Amino acid sequence: MVYPAVASYSFALLLFVLVEADTNLNDILFSGDYNFFDLTHPFDENTVYWPGNKQFAFTRKQGLFQKDNSWYAANDFEAGEHGGTHIDAPYHFQVNGKHVGDIPTEKLIVPLIIADVSSKVNDDSDFVLYKHHLDFMLNDNFGKPCVVIFKFGWSKFINDKKKYLGENKTTNFPGLSAEVAEWITSSYKNIIGVGVDTASVDPGSSTDFDAHKILTKSGLYMLENVKLDENVPDYGCTALILPMKIAKGTGAPLRLVAICPKVTPTNF
Amino acid sequence: MVYPAVASYSFALLLFVLVEADTNLNDILFSGDYNFFDLTHPFDENTVYWPGNKQFAFTRKQGLFQKDNSWYAANDFEAGEHGGTHIDAPYHFQVNGKHVGDIPTEKLIVPLIIADVSSKVNDDSDFVLYKHHLDFMLNDNFGKPCVVIFKFGWSKFINDKKKYLGENKTTNFPGLSAEVAEWITSSYKNIIGVGVDTASVDPGSSTDFDAHKILTKSGLYMLENVKLDENVPDYGCTALILPMKIAKGTGAPLRLVAICPKVTPTNF
């Protein structure tokens, strides 16, 4: 009876060591088992801004060789807070809401769910998302704090501003109905932020911005112009939502990265 | 002989399940076993910029109640690339170096080592870090790709600009010698970025910026004005180095977060 007991003990010890090693975050992250997806459009002269908003621009662009033949380059820049891939702080639409600099890191590093509705949108600029489109979201993944990004399939139009923002003079692109915004804030209190791969959580044709108002009233932040043109898994990813820390910002340029398992886990 | 074998098998199965669960990144990150440290100073009218550089400023600050009594606020802003907590891209000092937008996420999410030299600096603005100060760094933690941030103990002076940048007319604060920069790039090729809790990797009194030139020549980026005023563990953390994605930036505002185990692991 001695040998099996020893063998069992050794095996358990080996597994214990493996478990210990696995709880080192760096060992896990850099094991080769994860993909890092950059969900951020770059800031340059082509970055998408709402019509009439200040575009990203360098105001002083310097690059020159010095007397010792070394190179030196530095720029100043200007931009509106709400262009490109950016965050909307609750203060954008709520006088008592949080500014960008007030949102703690615990609310910026969170599980990510991609709600892919692109097949329902089918490239239609007039599409508005209602509750009946979202039956598939009714599952228990929503039990834990998370951010949901709606994929309208719009990132593929990022270099075609007429299609991306609207083909006529007014803005026109897909977005959330007030019904869906109300449903999220009333039924899914664990959702702390909502993102879209368009220029606004509201449909482009909206003039009352109900989705903005409803979501921010419940303290949610929004992520707009998210770059969703790669095969990011719908579940199992972690979102790193790290905006420029503009203390009193109503919004800010955002660097958004998803860390995703190469094989989607079954327990999320 | 049957029972022990079954028990052993069950025990192994249980541990296997535990290991599987542990490899779900979200379960690990949000287990309560990790701290998220925001190593970023906010951007506002007090943000530290190099003398003569463009300060962070709102150029249009809007906040008003609408006809329906709802609130709306949005701003435009301007800034130099190299103020506050920011990244220096290699292109800052190398004409063939990478711009901010060219640095891939794989080089921005990496293990973090804090080299705490604050007790040697002892608040002395004239301190220059040489190789002989760094004997303790000669250990095998440096075998894997990582970023090293030197803690000079300078973040506590962030609200005292005279002390932080220099008490006389010229800048004066601690920094790296050319010797240390050469040593890093020649002996520790796994170090892909170097950070400091001062306004520059070079000492404030430097006029030739040797550390900048040497580090960027080897393709390293730099992190400056890192906020290091909390007890961040020296080892075992993961750095999230997520700058504003200025495509052709020589540098950019940076959101820097460290994810650290509450208990430092022994295997790093």
Side-chain angles (χ1 to χ4, degrees):
Chain A
M1 293 290 285
V2 173
Y3 285 126
V6 170
S8 171
Y9 177 76
S10 304
F11 188 44
L13 194 69
L14 174 69
L15 280 171
F16 180 72
V17 171
L18 286 174
V19 172
E20 279 294 286
D22 263 2
T23 57
N24 180 337
L25 184 61
N26 285 332
D27 284 348
I28 295 165
L29 275 178
F30 309 111
S31 60
D33 292 341
Y34 288 86
N35 283 319
F36 300 158
F37 291 101
D38 191 348
L39 309 185
T40 319
H41 295 295
F43 284 89
D44 58 26
E45 66 279 12
N46 297 315
T47 303
V48 168
Y49 283 80
W50 202 260
N53 272 30
K54 188 186 277 286
Q55 303 276 121
F56 174 87
F58 287 124
T59 55
R60 187 191 60 129
K61 199 166 178 175
Q62 190 186 344
L64 62 166
F65 287 99
Q66 309 293 305
K67 283 179 188 167
D68 67 353
N69 219 25
S70 66
W71 174 258
Y72 177 81
N75 307 310
D76 299 331
F77 68 97
E78 62 181 9
E81 292 171 325
H82 297 273
T85 304
H86 70 281
I87 192 168
D88 281 3
Y91 179 74
H92 188 33
F93 272 85
Q94 299 295 332
V95 69
N96 296 316
K98 282 189 192 302
H99 292 90
V100 174
D102 301 326
I103 306 172
T105 50
E106 285 70 19
K107 296 219 163 188
L108 297 172
I109 302 169
V110 286
L112 169 66
I113 293 171
I114 308 275
D116 184 354
V117 295
S118 57
S119 65
K120 296 174 196 287
V121 177
N122 199 24
D123 298 348
D124 177 7
S125 300
D126 294 323
F127 181 90
V128 178
L129 188 74
Y130 289 96
K131 195 173 158 181
H132 71 84
H133 293 113
L134 292 169
D135 290 341
F136 70 93
M137 283 175 65
L138 291 167
N139 64 47
D140 63 1
N141 301 314
F142 284 71
K144 299 175 186 174
C146 65
V147 159
V148 176
I149 301 181
F150 291 94
K151 180 177 182 174
F152 290 106
W154 226 244
S155 289
K156 63 179 175 284
F157 301 126
I158 194 72
N159 294 319
D160 175 0
K161 274 189 192 165
K162 277 193 178 171
K163 178 69 179 176
Y164 191 83
L165 285 174
E167 304 197 53
N168 300 315
K169 283 187 180 174
T170 55
T171 50
N172 195 38
F173 51 79
L176 308 183
S177 62
E179 181 192 63
V180 163
E182 287 280 8
W183 181 54
I184 289 172
T185 56
S186 60
S187 301
Y188 296 102
K189 293 185 185 302
N190 54 306
I191 298 179
I192 62 171
V194 169
V196 288
D197 59 351
T198 63
S200 172
V201 290
D202 281 284
S205 57
S206 171
T207 54
D208 49 19
F209 303 104
D210 278 343
H212 274 90
K213 290 173 186 171
I214 293 164
L215 295 171
T216 55
K217 193 172 178 186
S218 288
L220 278 71
Y221 56 74
M222 278 124 3
L223 314 174
E224 294 173 330
N225 294 316
V226 173
K227 178 178 168 286
L228 279 182
D229 54 6
E230 295 182 273
N231 283 325
V232 182
D234 292 350
Y235 297 104
C237 301
T238 306
L240 310 178
I241 300 161
L242 295 188
M244 179 177 170
K245 194 176 180 176
I246 302 179
K248 297 293 177 193
T250 72
L254 168 68
R255 194 66 179 266
L256 178 62
V257 171
I259 305 180
C260 304
K262 287 184 180 173
V263 177
T264 308
T266 51
N267 57 325
F268 34 74
Chain B
M1 293 291 285
V2 173
Y3 284 125
V6 170
S8 172
Y9 178 76
S10 303
F11 189 44
L13 194 69
L14 174 68
L15 281 171
F16 179 73
V17 170
L18 286 174
V19 173
E20 278 296 287
D22 263 1
T23 57
N24 181 337
L25 185 60
N26 285 332
D27 284 348
I28 295 166
L29 275 178
F30 309 112
S31 61
D33 293 340
Y34 289 86
N35 285 319
F36 300 159
F37 291 101
D38 191 348
L39 309 185
T40 319
H41 294 296
F43 284 89
D44 58 25
E45 65 279 12
N46 297 315
T47 302
V48 168
Y49 283 79
W50 202 259
N53 272 30
K54 189 187 277 285
Q55 303 277 121
F56 175 87
F58 287 124
T59 55
R60 187 190 61 128
K61 198 166 178 173
Q62 190 187 346
L64 61 166
F65 287 99
Q66 309 294 304
K67 283 180 188 164
D68 67 354
N69 219 25
S70 66
W71 173 259
Y72 178 81
N75 308 309
D76 299 330
F77 68 97
E78 61 181 9
E81 291 170 326
H82 297 273
T85 304
H86 69 280
I87 193 167
D88 281 1
Y91 179 74
H92 189 31
F93 272 84
Q94 300 294 333
V95 69
N96 295 317
K98 280 190 193 303
H99 292 89
V100 173
D102 301 326
I103 307 173
T105 50
E106 285 69 20
K107 296 219 162 187
L108 297 173
I109 302 169
V110 287
L112 170 65
I113 292 171
I114 309 275
D116 184 354
V117 295
S118 57
S119 65
K120 296 174 196 288
V121 178
N122 199 24
D123 297 348
D124 177 8
S125 300
D126 294 323
F127 181 90
V128 178
L129 188 74
Y130 290 95
K131 195 173 158 181
H132 71 85
H133 294 113
L134 293 169
D135 289 342
F136 71 94
M137 283 174 65
L138 291 167
N139 62 48
D140 62 2
N141 302 312
F142 284 70
K144 299 174 186 174
C146 65
V147 160
V148 176
I149 301 181
F150 290 94
K151 181 176 182 174
F152 290 106
W154 227 244
S155 289
K156 62 179 176 285
F157 301 127
I158 194 73
N159 293 319
D160 175 0
K161 274 189 193 166
K162 277 193 177 172
K163 177 68 179 176
Y164 191 84
L165 285 174
E167 304 199 53
N168 301 315
K169 283 187 181 174
T170 54
T171 50
N172 194 38
F173 52 79
L176 308 184
S177 62
E179 182 193 61
V180 163
E182 287 280 10
W183 182 54
I184 289 172
T185 56
S186 59
S187 300
Y188 296 101
K189 294 187 186 299
N190 53 306
I191 298 179
I192 63 172
V194 168
V196 288
D197 59 351
T198 63
S200 171
V201 291
D202 281 284
S205 57
S206 170
T207 54
D208 50 18
F209 303 104
D210 277 344
H212 274 90
K213 290 174 186 170
I214 293 163
L215 295 171
T216 55
K217 193 172 178 187
S218 288
L220 279 70
Y221 57 74
M222 278 117 17
L223 314 174
E224 295 172 330
N225 294 316
V226 173
K227 178 177 168 286
L228 279 183
D229 54 6
E230 294 182 274
N231 283 325
V232 182
D234 292 349
Y235 298 103
C237 302
T238 306
L240 310 178
I241 300 162
L242 296 189
M244 179 178 170
K245 194 175 178 175
I246 302 178
K248 296 293 176 193
T250 71
L254 168 68
R255 194 66 179 265
L256 178 61
V257 171
I259 304 180
C260 305
K262 287 184 179 171
V263 178
T264 308
T266 51
N267 57 324
F268 34 75

